[in-house]
Amino acid sequence: MTTTPPAAPSPVLDLAPVLPVVVLEDAVDAVPVARALVEGGLPAIEVTLRTRAAPEVIARIAAEVPEAVVGAGTVLSPAHVRAAVDAGARFLVSPGCTDLLLRSLRESALPFLPGASTASEVLALLEQGVTDMKFFPAEAAGGAPYLRALSSPLPRARFCPTGGISASTAADYLALPNVACVGGSWMLPDDALAARDWSRVTRLAREAATLHIPG
Ligand SMILES: O=C(O)C(=O)C[C@H](O)[C@H](O)COP(=O)(O)O
């Protein structure tokens, strides 16, 4: 049997109470969005690989917004890991995990947050030495009460719940002992992005950044 060293706890989880999830169709918006988020107090930024523009979005933020810590989300395959690393991503996030993906995430040498949503998936990651995870899709999978129920039998797992979380539900998650930060896109409403209303993004980011992490 091979033993794998434990994955280092992800410093990304400790940068701010909220990890903004950015989906951009046009790389021209990358730098203003990142600056708006950083100005609001959210330096860690997850750019999902769901759009064609995503690698360029990551590259521009990495090059032009040094105060930001930009990572890639929706990392589903070794090819995505390579694309994210090449673009300059500093952390990797996936909605779920497989052995193949976990191997590739480890080989990247970047901090990573693999997704899990059941006790068995969490246990499988713990067995691999991974303690920091994304709980996805957070609201649809059972929300804060579900995640609280996982904390008693699986106290070593630390989560960034993401998926369907809003400004009004984020605090419920942050009150849990097994939550380090929450992810979401609520500070980037579609209409604000369409209008390029960066001051509104900053305002929403600032509200998110001041959410309290108990203890
Ligand atoms: O594609 C992925 O890997 C994702 O990361 C999905 C995101 O977690 C959600 O799109 C963000 O959740 P919302 O706040 O509901 O927008």
Side-chain angles (χ1 to χ4, degrees), residues 46-51 72-85 91-105 112-115 134 136:
E46 174 186 335
V47 175
T48 76
L49 295 181
R50 276 186 270 157
T51 67
T74 329
V75 174
L76 307 179
S77 65
H80 281 162
V81 171
R82 279 192 296 278
V85 169
F91 64 94
L92 305 171
V93 185
S94 66
C97 203
T98 66
D99 289 345
L100 177 71
L101 181 58
L102 183 58
R103 210 171 315 125
S104 178
L105 290 167
F112 59 86
L113 292 176
K134 169 172 175 163
F136 177 81

Side-chain angles (χ1 to χ4, degrees), residues 39-208:
E39 194 184 330
L42 300 180
I45 300 172
E46 174 186 335
V47 175
T48 76
L49 295 181
R50 276 186 270 157
T51 67
R52 194 182 287 272
E56 177 66 18
V57 171
I58 293 169
R60 287 194 191 193
I61 296 173
E64 296 179 49
V65 193
E67 318 88 288
V69 178
V70 64
T74 329
V75 174
L76 307 179
S77 65
H80 281 162
V81 171
R82 279 192 296 278
V85 169
D86 289 351
R90 292 170 61 188
F91 64 94
L92 305 171
V93 185
S94 66
C97 203
T98 66
D99 289 345
L100 177 71
L101 181 58
L102 183 58
R103 210 171 315 125
S104 178
L105 290 167
R106 275 190 200 284
E107 283 167 8
S108 75
L110 293 178
F112 59 86
L113 292 176
S117 66
T118 67
S120 294
E121 289 167 2
V122 172
L123 197 50
L125 286 168
L126 288 172
E127 279 181 1
Q128 297 287 336
V130 178
T131 55
D132 287 354
M133 309 172 197
K134 169 172 175 163
F135 172 56
F136 177 81
E139 285 288 289
Y146 179 103
L147 198 51
R148 177 190 297 280
L150 290 182
S151 71
S152 303
L154 301 163
R156 282 196 307 123
R158 203 165 76 119
F159 295 95
C160 174
T162 308
I165 299 177
S166 65
S168 54
T169 56
D172 297 341
Y173 290 93
L174 290 169
L176 303 181
N178 54 350
V179 167
C181 68
V182 303
S185 60
W186 74 84
M187 69 301 295
L188 298 152
D190 287 345
D191 56 339
L193 291 179
R196 301 204 154 100
D197 185 350
W198 310 133
S199 61
R200 184 166 164 223
V201 171
T202 294
R203 211 163 50 245
L204 291 168
R206 191 165 288 130
E207 285 167 20

